[in-house]
Amino acid sequence: MTAGNTGSDTPGNDDPFGYLYRSEGGEGGEGGAGGDGATRQQGVPRTSYNQVRAVGERQYGGASQQSGQGRQNASYAAPETLPGGERARPPQAGPPAPPQRNHKGLLIGAVAVVGVVCIAIGIAMLNNSGKGADNKAQPSETVTTSEEPEHKPTEKPSKTPLPKDDAGSLKLGGTAATSKDIPGARSAGGVYVGGMNTPGASATWTLNVEEPGAYKMWVGYGVPGKDQNLTLTVNDKRDPRPLNMGNFANAEEGAWDKWTSTWQRVPLNKGTNTVTLSCEDGNKCDVNIDQLWLEKKIA
C-alpha cells in the first residue's frame, strides 16, 4: 500500500488530514485537483492524498465553509457594531483596588463582644457576692435573747490638785497678824503673816486630801539674813523636829525682802487635816510667812 493509492478510496471520501498538505494561496497539489471553492467531481476516484485545502475549509454535503482572513462569521459582530458605536475599552492595568470594609459590621461586632464581656463580669460579681454572704454569720445566729451589759473601762476619778493657800487664808493666833509692808511676797496682793517672833504666836492651815499618807509640805517665808525655826504640829500632834527656816536666800542681815522656801514631811489623813506653825520656847521665831502648799505624796 502506497500513499498514492490506498485501495480503499471511494467516491465521496475525504482526507481528514488534507489541510496539512495544501500550499498557501489555495492552489492544489499533485494531480491538479482543488482550489478556492472547488469541489471534486462525483464518481471520480481520488488518485492521491496530496490534495490540500485552505485552512478551515471543509466540505459537508457539497457546501463549502471557510473561515479565513477577510471573511466574517455570520454570528460574529464587531464591538463597534454594538449599540453605542464605540469599541469597549479594556480596563487599564494597575494595582487592584483595596477591598471595601464594612465599618458598620465591625462596629456591631465590637459592641457585641463588649456586651458579652460585661455580662460575664456581672455574673462573676454576683457569684462572688453570693459566696461572701454565705461565709458571713447572720445576725440571727449571733444575737442572744438577753443583751449583755457593756463593760466600759473603769475611769479613774480625776485627782484634785493638791492644796495650796496664801497667808491671808491662814487662821492666826497670839501676836501673829497679816501685813504687806515688805515687798516681794508671792501671795495674792503681797499679803504675808508677821508678828511671829512672840511665844504663843501661831498660823494654822486647814487642808483636805483624798488619800492618806505622808506628804511633802512647803512653806514660803522670809528672814532678816539669819536662820530661824518654828514648831510644827500636824493634827494636834507636835513634830519633835522644828521646821528649819534657814537663810537660804543669802539675804544680808536685816534684809527682809529676800523670800525663799523650805519643806517638811507631814503625815496626813484622808479628808480634813490641820497644820500649825507656832513660836514656842526654844524657837527662833523672827520670820514672815507668805504661802503653804503640798507637793506630792512620799514614802
Tab-separated table of all heavy atoms in Angstrom, residues 118-178:
chain	number	residue	atom	x	y	z
A	118	CYS	N	-19.177	42.249	79.465
A	118	CYS	CA	-19.857	42.873	80.609
A	118	CYS	C	-20.789	41.897	81.302
A	118	CYS	O	-20.872	41.844	82.530
A	118	CYS	CB	-20.625	44.110	80.141
A	118	CYS	SG	-19.559	45.464	79.594
A	119	ILE	N	-21.500	41.107	80.515
A	119	ILE	CA	-22.409	40.126	81.107
A	119	ILE	C	-21.623	39.098	81.925
A	119	ILE	O	-22.006	38.727	83.040
A	119	ILE	CB	-23.231	39.447	80.004
A	119	ILE	CG1	-24.196	40.469	79.367
A	119	ILE	CG2	-23.998	38.248	80.560
A	119	ILE	CD1	-24.924	39.942	78.158
A	120	ALA	N	-20.467	38.651	81.384
A	120	ALA	CA	-19.648	37.670	82.116
A	120	ALA	C	-19.141	38.248	83.428
A	120	ALA	O	-19.144	37.586	84.469
A	120	ALA	CB	-18.490	37.216	81.232
A	121	ILE	N	-18.696	39.528	83.386
A	121	ILE	CA	-18.201	40.158	84.626
A	121	ILE	C	-19.321	40.277	85.651
A	121	ILE	O	-19.143	40.036	86.849
A	121	ILE	CB	-17.607	41.536	84.307
A	121	ILE	CG1	-16.326	41.370	83.470
A	121	ILE	CG2	-17.286	42.306	85.578
A	121	ILE	CD1	-15.736	42.672	82.994
A	122	GLY	N	-20.515	40.671	85.182
A	122	GLY	CA	-21.636	40.791	86.115
A	122	GLY	C	-21.976	39.466	86.771
A	122	GLY	O	-22.241	39.392	87.980
A	123	ILE	N	-21.966	38.391	85.987
A	123	ILE	CA	-22.265	37.069	86.558
A	123	ILE	C	-21.217	36.680	87.589
A	123	ILE	O	-21.529	36.159	88.667
A	123	ILE	CB	-22.348	36.030	85.431
A	123	ILE	CG1	-23.558	36.332	84.523
A	123	ILE	CG2	-22.433	34.616	86.000
A	123	ILE	CD1	-23.641	35.461	83.284
A	124	ALA	N	-19.930	36.955	87.275
A	124	ALA	CA	-18.864	36.620	88.230
A	124	ALA	C	-19.015	37.399	89.523
A	124	ALA	O	-18.836	36.865	90.624
A	124	ALA	CB	-17.502	36.899	87.593
A	125	MET	N	-19.368	38.705	89.414
A	125	MET	CA	-19.539	39.505	90.627
A	125	MET	C	-20.701	39.012	91.463
A	125	MET	O	-20.637	38.960	92.695
A	125	MET	CB	-19.751	40.974	90.235
A	125	MET	CG	-18.531	41.627	89.598
A	125	MET	SD	-18.838	43.322	89.084
A	125	MET	CE	-19.131	44.082	90.677
A	126	LEU	N	-21.799	38.625	90.809
A	126	LEU	CA	-22.939	38.088	91.553
A	126	LEU	C	-22.567	36.801	92.277
A	126	LEU	O	-22.952	36.585	93.432
A	126	LEU	CB	-24.103	37.840	90.592
A	126	LEU	CG	-24.790	39.105	90.021
A	126	LEU	CD1	-25.844	38.714	89.008
A	126	LEU	CD2	-25.414	39.918	91.147
A	127	ASN	N	-21.804	35.939	91.603
A	127	ASN	CA	-21.383	34.688	92.244
A	127	ASN	C	-20.513	34.948	93.458
A	127	ASN	O	-20.660	34.329	94.503
A	127	ASN	CB	-20.656	33.803	91.231
A	127	ASN	CG	-21.593	33.297	90.141
A	127	ASN	OD1	-22.797	33.220	90.341
A	127	ASN	ND2	-21.024	32.952	88.986
A	128	ASN	N	-19.546	35.895	93.312
A	128	ASN	CA	-18.643	36.200	94.427
A	128	ASN	C	-19.396	36.802	95.595
A	128	ASN	O	-19.136	36.501	96.758
A	128	ASN	CB	-17.544	37.156	93.963
A	128	ASN	CG	-16.595	36.477	93.003
A	128	ASN	OD1	-16.464	35.257	93.002
A	128	ASN	ND2	-15.927	37.270	92.165
A	129	SER	N	-20.347	37.726	95.293
A	129	SER	CA	-21.103	38.343	96.381
A	129	SER	C	-21.955	37.313	97.104
A	129	SER	O	-22.129	37.355	98.317
A	129	SER	CB	-21.978	39.473	95.837
A	129	SER	OG	-22.928	38.961	94.908
A	130	GLY	N	-22.476	36.359	96.348
A	130	GLY	CA	-23.273	35.316	96.988
A	130	GLY	C	-22.441	34.453	97.912
A	130	GLY	O	-22.840	34.111	99.013
A	131	LYS	N	-21.185	34.140	97.467
A	131	LYS	CA	-20.292	33.341	98.319
A	131	LYS	C	-19.921	34.103	99.574
A	131	LYS	O	-19.860	33.568	100.663
A	131	LYS	CB	-19.048	32.967	97.535
A	131	LYS	CG	-19.316	31.994	96.398
A	131	LYS	CD	-18.040	31.668	95.657
A	131	LYS	CE	-18.295	30.701	94.513
A	131	LYS	NZ	-17.062	30.400	93.779
A	132	GLY	N	-19.635	35.427	99.424
A	132	GLY	CA	-19.272	36.221	100.604
A	132	GLY	C	-20.395	36.276	101.603
A	132	GLY	O	-20.196	36.242	102.815
A	133	ALA	N	-21.656	36.361	101.082
A	133	ALA	CA	-22.793	36.418	102.000
A	133	ALA	C	-22.939	35.109	102.744
A	133	ALA	O	-23.325	35.075	103.913
A	133	ALA	CB	-24.073	36.740	101.227
A	134	ASP	N	-22.635	33.986	102.079
A	134	ASP	CA	-22.745	32.697	102.748
A	134	ASP	C	-21.713	32.555	103.840
A	134	ASP	O	-21.960	31.905	104.853
A	134	ASP	CB	-22.585	31.575	101.713
A	134	ASP	CG	-23.738	31.585	100.706
A	134	ASP	OD1	-24.813	32.134	101.042
A	134	ASP	OD2	-23.545	31.042	99.605
A	135	ASN	N	-20.517	33.138	103.653
A	135	ASN	CA	-19.451	32.987	104.634
A	135	ASN	C	-19.672	33.817	105.876
A	135	ASN	O	-19.094	33.550	106.920
A	135	ASN	CB	-18.107	33.368	104.005
A	135	ASN	CG	-17.720	32.383	102.923
A	135	ASN	OD1	-18.146	31.230	102.951
A	135	ASN	ND2	-16.923	32.838	101.962
A	136	LYS	N	-20.482	34.899	105.760
A	136	LYS	CA	-20.712	35.769	106.918
A	136	LYS	C	-21.814	35.192	107.788
A	136	LYS	O	-22.827	34.698	107.302
A	136	LYS	CB	-21.090	37.179	106.451
A	136	LYS	CG	-19.956	37.891	105.725
A	136	LYS	CD	-20.388	39.285	105.321
A	136	LYS	CE	-19.277	40.008	104.596
A	136	LYS	NZ	-19.700	41.369	104.164
A	137	ALA	N	-21.619	35.330	109.079
A	137	ALA	CA	-22.633	34.859	110.009
A	137	ALA	C	-23.824	35.794	109.992
A	137	ALA	O	-23.672	37.014	109.931
A	137	ALA	CB	-22.051	34.765	111.423
A	138	GLN	N	-25.018	35.249	109.985
A	138	GLN	CA	-26.221	36.057	110.004
A	138	GLN	C	-26.437	36.610	111.404
A	138	GLN	O	-26.089	35.992	112.404
A	138	GLN	CB	-27.430	35.202	109.590
A	138	GLN	CG	-27.311	34.635	108.182
A	138	GLN	CD	-27.242	35.737	107.157
A	138	GLN	OE1	-27.869	36.783	107.339
A	138	GLN	NE2	-26.505	35.530	106.092
A	139	PRO	N	-27.033	37.823	111.489
A	139	PRO	CA	-27.255	38.415	112.821
A	139	PRO	C	-28.059	37.510	113.732
A	139	PRO	O	-27.821	37.445	114.923
A	139	PRO	CB	-28.012	39.700	112.493
A	139	PRO	CG	-27.622	40.017	111.084
A	139	PRO	CD	-27.434	38.700	110.407
A	140	SER	N	-29.010	36.767	113.148
A	140	SER	CA	-29.842	35.924	113.994
A	140	SER	C	-29.055	34.781	114.611
A	140	SER	O	-29.473	34.194	115.601
A	140	SER	CB	-31.008	35.360	113.168
A	140	SER	OG	-30.502	34.607	112.078
A	141	GLU	N	-27.892	34.456	114.037
A	141	GLU	CA	-27.101	33.352	114.565
A	141	GLU	C	-26.238	33.766	115.741
A	141	GLU	O	-25.796	32.933	116.504
A	141	GLU	CB	-26.213	32.787	113.457
A	141	GLU	CG	-27.007	32.214	112.286
A	141	GLU	CD	-26.107	31.753	111.175
A	141	GLU	OE1	-24.881	31.930	111.339
A	141	GLU	OE2	-26.594	31.218	110.165
A	142	THR	N	-25.973	35.063	115.886
A	142	THR	CA	-25.036	35.507	116.918
A	142	THR	C	-25.704	36.267	118.052
A	142	THR	O	-25.169	36.356	119.140
A	142	THR	CB	-23.974	36.415	116.288
A	142	THR	OG1	-24.612	37.507	115.634
A	142	THR	CG2	-23.154	35.657	115.253
A	143	VAL	N	-26.867	36.846	117.812
A	143	VAL	CA	-27.513	37.650	118.852
A	143	VAL	C	-28.228	36.724	119.810
A	143	VAL	O	-28.999	35.854	119.418
A	143	VAL	CB	-28.510	38.647	118.220
A	143	VAL	CG1	-29.250	39.409	119.294
A	143	VAL	CG2	-27.772	39.580	117.297
A	144	THR	N	-27.991	36.881	121.087
A	144	THR	CA	-28.652	36.081	122.107
A	144	THR	C	-29.947	36.763	122.539
A	144	THR	O	-30.215	37.918	122.202
A	144	THR	CB	-27.721	35.898	123.316
A	144	THR	OG1	-27.362	37.189	123.821
A	144	THR	CG2	-26.427	35.186	122.907
A	145	THR	N	-30.718	36.037	123.308
A	145	THR	CA	-32.018	36.572	123.726
A	145	THR	C	-31.863	37.697	124.732
A	145	THR	O	-32.681	38.601	124.796
A	145	THR	CB	-32.854	35.440	124.338
A	145	THR	OG1	-32.112	34.828	125.397
A	145	THR	CG2	-33.160	34.396	123.269
A	146	SER	N	-30.819	37.667	125.522
A	146	SER	CA	-30.609	38.716	126.527
A	146	SER	C	-29.334	39.467	126.196
A	146	SER	O	-28.312	38.873	125.889
A	146	SER	CB	-30.503	38.106	127.926
A	146	SER	OG	-29.413	37.213	127.976
A	147	GLU	N	-29.420	40.782	126.231
A	147	GLU	CA	-28.271	41.621	125.928
A	147	GLU	C	-27.371	41.739	127.145
A	147	GLU	O	-27.846	41.936	128.269
A	147	GLU	CB	-28.728	43.019	125.499
A	147	GLU	CG	-29.506	43.015	124.196
A	147	GLU	CD	-29.875	44.421	123.781
A	147	GLU	OE1	-29.542	45.350	124.565
A	147	GLU	OE2	-30.475	44.588	122.712
A	148	GLU	N	-26.091	41.551	126.891
A	148	GLU	CA	-25.132	41.691	127.980
A	148	GLU	C	-24.786	43.154	128.170
A	148	GLU	O	-24.669	43.909	127.198
A	148	GLU	CB	-23.860	40.898	127.659
A	148	GLU	CG	-24.103	39.408	127.535
A	148	GLU	CD	-22.830	38.671	127.245
A	148	GLU	OE1	-21.781	39.368	127.113
A	148	GLU	OE2	-22.853	37.446	127.159
A	149	PRO	N	-24.666	43.583	129.390
A	149	PRO	CA	-24.317	44.989	129.627
A	149	PRO	C	-22.927	45.295	129.092
A	149	PRO	O	-22.035	44.450	129.094
A	149	PRO	CB	-24.375	45.135	131.153
A	149	PRO	CG	-24.162	43.737	131.660
A	149	PRO	CD	-24.789	42.826	130.638
A	150	GLU	N	-22.792	46.469	128.565
A	150	GLU	CA	-21.499	46.891	128.049
A	150	GLU	C	-20.527	47.105	129.206
A	150	GLU	O	-20.875	47.700	130.218
A	150	GLU	CB	-21.642	48.179	127.252
A	150	GLU	CG	-22.495	48.014	126.003
A	150	GLU	CD	-22.578	49.294	125.223
A	150	GLU	OE1	-21.986	50.297	125.701
A	150	GLU	OE2	-23.214	49.308	124.168
A	151	HIS	N	-19.331	46.602	129.014
A	151	HIS	CA	-18.304	46.749	130.043
A	151	HIS	C	-17.393	47.892	129.649
A	151	HIS	O	-16.557	47.757	128.759
A	151	HIS	CB	-17.502	45.443	130.196
A	151	HIS	CG	-18.334	44.289	130.663
A	151	HIS	ND1	-18.746	44.152	131.966
A	151	HIS	CD2	-18.856	43.234	129.988
A	151	HIS	CE1	-19.467	43.044	132.098
A	151	HIS	NE2	-19.561	42.472	130.896
A	152	LYS	N	-17.622	48.998	130.240
A	152	LYS	CA	-16.778	50.149	129.980
A	152	LYS	C	-15.607	50.151	130.943
A	152	LYS	O	-15.751	49.761	132.101
A	152	LYS	CB	-17.576	51.445	130.140
A	152	LYS	CG	-18.688	51.575	129.109
A	152	LYS	CD	-19.395	52.914	129.289
A	152	LYS	CE	-20.483	53.076	128.228
A	152	LYS	NZ	-21.188	54.379	128.391
A	153	PRO	N	-14.474	50.535	130.466
A	153	PRO	CA	-13.330	50.597	131.386
A	153	PRO	C	-13.582	51.570	132.520
A	153	PRO	O	-14.160	52.645	132.326
A	153	PRO	CB	-12.180	51.086	130.478
A	153	PRO	CG	-12.864	51.741	129.322
A	153	PRO	CD	-14.153	51.022	129.137
A	154	THR	N	-13.190	51.114	133.685
A	154	THR	CA	-13.396	51.955	134.872
A	154	THR	C	-12.512	53.185	134.775
A	154	THR	O	-11.291	53.072	134.616
A	154	THR	CB	-13.052	51.172	136.146
A	154	THR	OG1	-13.842	49.982	136.168
A	154	THR	CG2	-13.317	52.025	137.379
A	155	GLU	N	-13.167	54.303	134.800
A	155	GLU	CA	-12.419	55.556	134.710
A	155	GLU	C	-11.981	55.986	136.113
A	155	GLU	O	-12.778	56.054	137.038
A	155	GLU	CB	-13.286	56.650	134.080
A	155	GLU	CG	-13.690	56.340	132.649
A	155	GLU	CD	-14.521	57.453	132.058
A	155	GLU	OE1	-14.790	58.432	132.811
A	155	GLU	OE2	-14.890	57.362	130.880
A	156	LYS	N	-10.727	56.237	136.199
A	156	LYS	CA	-10.209	56.702	137.476
A	156	LYS	C	-10.668	58.142	137.710
A	156	LYS	O	-10.629	58.959	136.796
A	156	LYS	CB	-8.684	56.642	137.492
A	156	LYS	CG	-8.147	55.228	137.423
A	156	LYS	CD	-6.634	55.235	137.496
A	156	LYS	CE	-6.093	53.807	137.440
A	156	LYS	NZ	-4.617	53.775	137.510
A	157	PRO	N	-11.142	58.408	138.890
A	157	PRO	CA	-11.566	59.781	139.164
A	157	PRO	C	-10.386	60.731	139.039
A	157	PRO	O	-9.264	60.424	139.411
A	157	PRO	CB	-12.095	59.718	140.600
A	157	PRO	CG	-11.464	58.495	141.192
A	157	PRO	CD	-11.268	57.535	140.064
A	158	SER	N	-10.674	61.847	138.459
A	158	SER	CA	-9.616	62.836	138.306
A	158	SER	C	-9.169	63.325	139.678
A	158	SER	O	-9.991	63.620	140.551
A	158	SER	CB	-10.113	64.020	137.474
A	158	SER	OG	-11.254	64.599	138.078
A	159	LYS	N	-7.871	63.375	139.846
A	159	LYS	CA	-7.321	63.789	141.130
A	159	LYS	C	-7.443	65.302	141.290
A	159	LYS	O	-7.158	66.054	140.374
A	159	LYS	CB	-5.853	63.371	141.240
A	159	LYS	CG	-5.665	61.870	141.311
A	159	LYS	CD	-4.198	61.529	141.501
A	159	LYS	CE	-4.014	60.014	141.608
A	159	LYS	NZ	-2.588	59.647	141.805
A	160	THR	N	-7.883	65.660	142.463
A	160	THR	CA	-7.968	67.082	142.773
A	160	THR	C	-6.570	67.612	143.023
A	160	THR	O	-5.758	66.959	143.693
A	160	THR	CB	-8.838	67.294	144.032
A	160	THR	OG1	-10.123	66.712	143.786
A	160	THR	CG2	-8.979	68.770	144.349
A	161	PRO	N	-6.251	68.740	142.458
A	161	PRO	CA	-4.917	69.295	142.706
A	161	PRO	C	-4.648	69.425	144.205
A	161	PRO	O	-5.548	69.703	145.006
A	161	PRO	CB	-4.981	70.667	142.027
A	161	PRO	CG	-6.064	70.547	141.001
A	161	PRO	CD	-7.052	69.590	141.574
A	162	LEU	N	-3.409	69.173	144.539
A	162	LEU	CA	-3.033	69.286	145.962
A	162	LEU	C	-3.213	70.731	146.428
A	162	LEU	O	-3.012	71.674	145.678
A	162	LEU	CB	-1.587	68.837	146.164
A	162	LEU	CG	-1.338	67.352	145.876
A	162	LEU	CD1	0.152	67.029	145.984
A	162	LEU	CD2	-2.145	66.457	146.803
A	163	PRO	N	-3.616	70.881	147.678
A	163	PRO	CA	-3.938	72.226	148.166
A	163	PRO	C	-2.734	73.153	148.220
A	163	PRO	O	-1.603	72.722	148.454
A	163	PRO	CB	-4.502	71.978	149.566
A	163	PRO	CG	-4.041	70.628	149.959
A	163	PRO	CD	-3.851	69.851	148.703
A	164	LYS	N	-3.038	74.432	147.964
A	164	LYS	CA	-2.041	75.497	148.061
A	164	LYS	C	-2.785	76.772	148.482
A	164	LYS	O	-3.762	77.148	147.845
A	164	LYS	CB	-1.359	75.711	146.711
A	164	LYS	CG	-0.310	76.808	146.732
A	164	LYS	CD	0.359	76.931	145.371
A	164	LYS	CE	1.451	77.995	145.386
A	164	LYS	NZ	2.135	78.104	144.062
A	165	ASP	N	-2.317	77.427	149.560
A	165	ASP	CA	-3.014	78.607	150.086
A	165	ASP	C	-2.029	79.709	150.427
A	165	ASP	O	-0.874	79.455	150.767
A	165	ASP	CB	-3.834	78.249	151.336
A	165	ASP	CG	-5.018	77.351	151.010
A	165	ASP	OD1	-5.864	77.760	150.206
A	165	ASP	OD2	-5.072	76.215	151.548
A	166	ASP	N	-2.558	80.924	150.319
A	166	ASP	CA	-1.777	82.105	150.696
A	166	ASP	C	-1.921	82.372	152.194
A	166	ASP	O	-2.814	81.848	152.880
A	166	ASP	CB	-2.260	83.334	149.929
A	166	ASP	CG	-1.938	83.221	148.435
A	166	ASP	OD1	-1.018	82.437	148.091
A	166	ASP	OD2	-2.619	83.875	147.627
A	167	ALA	N	-1.041	83.228	152.700
A	167	ALA	CA	-1.034	83.546	154.130
A	167	ALA	C	-2.341	84.195	154.587
A	167	ALA	O	-2.741	84.055	155.754
A	167	ALA	CB	0.127	84.476	154.445
A	168	GLY	N	-3.038	84.857	153.638
A	168	GLY	CA	-4.292	85.517	154.051
A	168	GLY	C	-5.376	84.550	154.441
A	168	GLY	O	-6.344	84.941	155.095
A	169	SER	N	-5.295	83.257	154.054
A	169	SER	CA	-6.320	82.275	154.396
A	169	SER	C	-5.997	81.515	155.680
A	169	SER	O	-6.782	80.656	156.094
A	169	SER	CB	-6.493	81.283	153.245
A	169	SER	OG	-5.301	80.533	153.031
A	170	LEU	N	-4.880	81.775	156.291
A	170	LEU	CA	-4.480	81.046	157.499
A	170	LEU	C	-5.215	81.592	158.735
A	170	LEU	O	-5.565	82.765	158.802
A	170	LEU	CB	-2.978	81.160	157.700
A	170	LEU	CG	-2.099	80.633	156.545
A	170	LEU	CD1	-0.620	80.829	156.867
A	170	LEU	CD2	-2.393	79.173	156.234
A	171	LYS	N	-5.413	80.691	159.710
A	171	LYS	CA	-6.020	81.098	160.993
A	171	LYS	C	-4.899	81.505	161.948
A	171	LYS	O	-4.013	80.693	162.224
A	171	LYS	CB	-6.821	79.952	161.568
A	171	LYS	CG	-7.510	80.303	162.886
A	171	LYS	CD	-8.280	79.105	163.415
A	171	LYS	CE	-8.948	79.456	164.746
A	171	LYS	NZ	-9.713	78.306	165.308
A	172	LEU	N	-4.920	82.724	162.396
A	172	LEU	CA	-3.818	83.293	163.170
A	172	LEU	C	-4.150	83.288	164.674
A	172	LEU	O	-5.303	83.380	165.077
A	172	LEU	CB	-3.556	84.708	162.700
A	172	LEU	CG	-3.265	84.854	161.179
A	172	LEU	CD1	-3.021	86.318	160.830
A	172	LEU	CD2	-2.107	83.983	160.734
A	173	GLY	N	-3.087	83.134	165.466
A	173	GLY	CA	-3.224	83.147	166.926
A	173	GLY	C	-2.073	83.922	167.570
A	173	GLY	O	-1.001	84.046	166.965
A	174	GLY	N	-2.337	84.447	168.845
A	174	GLY	CA	-1.302	85.227	169.542
A	174	GLY	C	-1.072	86.567	168.857
A	174	GLY	O	-1.999	87.236	168.389
A	175	THR	N	0.161	86.920	168.706
A	175	THR	CA	0.538	88.209	168.109
A	175	THR	C	0.671	88.163	166.581
A	175	THR	O	1.026	89.165	165.947
A	175	THR	CB	1.869	88.667	168.677
A	175	THR	OG1	2.874	87.690	168.421
A	175	THR	CG2	1.761	88.871	170.191
A	176	ALA	N	0.408	87.005	165.988
A	176	ALA	CA	0.535	86.867	164.530
A	176	ALA	C	-0.516	87.733	163.842
A	176	ALA	O	-1.661	87.830	164.295
A	176	ALA	CB	0.362	85.407	164.108
A	177	ALA	N	-0.119	88.393	162.762
A	177	ALA	CA	-1.028	89.280	162.013
A	177	ALA	C	-0.568	89.373	160.566
A	177	ALA	O	0.610	89.170	160.237
A	177	ALA	CB	-1.068	90.642	162.656
A	178	THR	N	-1.521	89.691	159.696
A	178	THR	CA	-1.201	89.836	158.267
A	178	THR	C	-0.669	91.237	158.015
A	178	THR	O	-1.045	92.192	158.675
A	178	THR	CB	-2.442	89.592	157.392
A	178	THR	OG1	-3.467	90.505	157.768
A	178	THR	CG2	-2.924	88.161	157.526
